DNA sequence: GCGAGGCGTCAACTATAATTAACGCTGATA
DNA sequence: TATCAGCGTTAATTATAGTTGACGCCTCGC
């Protein structure tokens, strides 16, 4: 990532506006950028006025002239207590459906970007066929027992020490296929509930 | 769950290829996605064959039908089989200083907003008097042994099932004061290294 | 077998983006 | 002052993306 990491200003919703901001950050004129990118200055002008929606091939050429990757271009969004310690006793156990329980680390605070659960799946426990989907990312490490994790069209059974990491809006499901309770520690970012 | 139609392991450098992979991960047909997105199935077909380069407006409409942001579309790595599951053996152990080791969940952490470590502190292990400080938040659950955690001016010794949660820019320190190794699962958001 | 409905693809057409070649504006220089 | 060189914008043209309506290929159920 080039050194514009902290563009604090509002992430422009319109692509053209965003391009103009980026171009100016890099101190380029429309013509200079056009020359480097191998497009015409008129095209850049029209894009920056949001009068046309560039094809990704054009946008890529333009960004190559900066240079800036498509991913960085779209990512260039902004950036993203006193109760620190919790004894196991304080972490009240909450039941989630029938056979799944967890202890949430910390109180539910809207401002937080991270949620950690100490979860127990009883044998046969299952989040269900209707797959889970929500924003963010999540990961976990199996501590005891085993857990069958389905993510998208892939499924795998994980054992102690194994782990998973996926984007939470890919449909997913957890199930304990074993004979003993499954214990794991999982994290969500941002908190999913 | 819809079957992933044998997507060859091509790295989705081409936008169309990437779109096809993503669409199939989400279990959508071209026609279903077209209906949701308000475009025609033919357009999606042509894009996925890399025969046209969609305009940003079209691509955005299509991604809205999934739904997925442009930033995520360009940023994220969508080969779940390679990225979601990790056996304990795959999570190579890394030593951190003298007596601290960890296994990192996932390989390419740079692009991610969440980092999970399966850590072991040998007896006496200590992150040191020079306190740690970095952006973000972190939390953890103790799995075995005990760990003395210092956050700001507070210190507490945590035992299995206990946990912590704090803003990482508050100076902090970890130390195993016990006679046996301490095992914990911790998470950082965003990744601290 | 055979039709119905779903899938992805494609040729022809329409809509939109990109280029070309101008325009007016500004600031620097003589 | 006059001129020039560079800036961003734009109307008309060309190139490309998107839609329409068809195709062949499947699978499912009669």
């Amino acid at each position: 990532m080039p050194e514009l990491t902290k563009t604090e200003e509002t992430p422009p919703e319109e692509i053209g506006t965003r391009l103009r901001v980026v171009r100016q950050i890099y101190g380029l004129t429309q013509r200079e950028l056009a020359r480097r990118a191998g497009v015409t200055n008129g095209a850049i002008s029209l894009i920056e006025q949001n009068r046309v929606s560039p094809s990704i091939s054009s946008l890529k050429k333009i960004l190559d002239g900066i240079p800036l990757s498509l991913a960085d271009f779209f990512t260039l969004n902004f950036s993203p207590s006193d109760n620190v310690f919790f004894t196991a006793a304080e972490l009240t156990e909450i039941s989630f459906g029938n056979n799944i329980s967890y202890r949430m680390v910390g109180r539910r605070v809207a401002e937080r970007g991270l949620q950690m659960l100490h979860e127990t799946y009883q044998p046969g426990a299952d989040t269900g066929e209707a797959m889970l989907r929500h924003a963010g990312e999540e990961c976990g490490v199996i501590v005891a027992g085993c857990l069958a994790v389905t993510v998208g069209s892939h499924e795998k059974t994980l054992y102690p020490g194994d782990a998973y990491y996926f984007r939470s809006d890919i449909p997913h499901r957890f199930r304990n296929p074993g004979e003993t309770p499954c214990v794991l520690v999982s994290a969500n970012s941002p908190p999913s509930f």
Side-chain angles (χ1 to χ4, degrees), chain A:
Chain A
M1 190 79 173
E3 65 274 66
L4 74 145
T5 46
K6 298 251 169 49
T7 53
E8 58 299 318
E9 105 300 333
T10 62
E13 187 162 315
E14 300 284 353
I15 294 301
T17 311
R18 175 180 291 242
L19 176 60
R20 174 159 295 180
V21 168
V22 171
R23 175 176 61 80
Q24 290 174 342
I25 286 174
Y26 282 87
L28 297 169
T29 65
Q30 288 182 348
R31 284 180 141 92
E32 171 62 15
L33 178 53
R35 197 180 55 69
R36 292 199 201 183
V39 301
T40 60
N41 63 301
I44 294 178
S45 176
L46 293 169
I47 292 166
E48 290 190 354
Q49 296 169 79
N50 297 306
R51 291 177 50 172
V52 301
S53 179
S55 71
I56 64 101
S57 63
S58 300
L59 182 59
K60 178 155 195 327
K61 279 201 287 185
I62 292 167
L63 294 178
D64 284 346
I66 290 182
L68 188 69
S69 74
L70 282 163
D72 286 347
F73 179 74
F74 286 105
T75 306
L76 131 88
N77 308 356
F78 81 117
S79 55
S81 115
D82 296 285
N83 265 352
V84 172
F85 305 113
F86 306 91
T87 65
E90 285 171 345
L91 298 175
T92 53
E93 190 144 5
I94 303 173
S95 276
F96 191 63
N98 30 16
N99 293 319
I100 305 170
S101 64
Y102 61 86
R103 300 167 186 276
M104 194 188 312
V105 177
R107 293 233 162 71
R108 170 148 167 44
V109 177
E111 288 310 309
R112 291 188 167 167
L114 186 54
Q115 177 186 57
M116 178 165 272
L117 304 177
H118 196 187
E119 302 180 78
T120 301
Y121 282 68
Q122 296 301 326
D126 189 347
T127 58
E129 203 162 344
M131 313 279 276
L132 303 172
R133 268 188 83 176
H134 47 92
E137 301 167 273
E138 59 191 280
C139 58
V141 171
I142 311 303
V143 173
C146 66
L147 189 70
V149 182
T150 307
V151 178
S153 51
H154 298 269
E155 172 164 338
K156 188 172 173 66
T157 300
L158 302 174
Y159 298 91
D162 296 348
Y164 62 86
Y165 191 128
F166 57 84
R167 296 166 31 69
S168 305
D169 56 1
I170 299 175
H172 54 281
R173 175 184 190 179
F174 301 100
R175 186 171 51 86
N176 179 1
E179 308 273 318
T180 60
C182 172
V183 177
L184 71 149
V185 176
S186 70
N188 295 266
S189 176
S192 57
F193 59 91

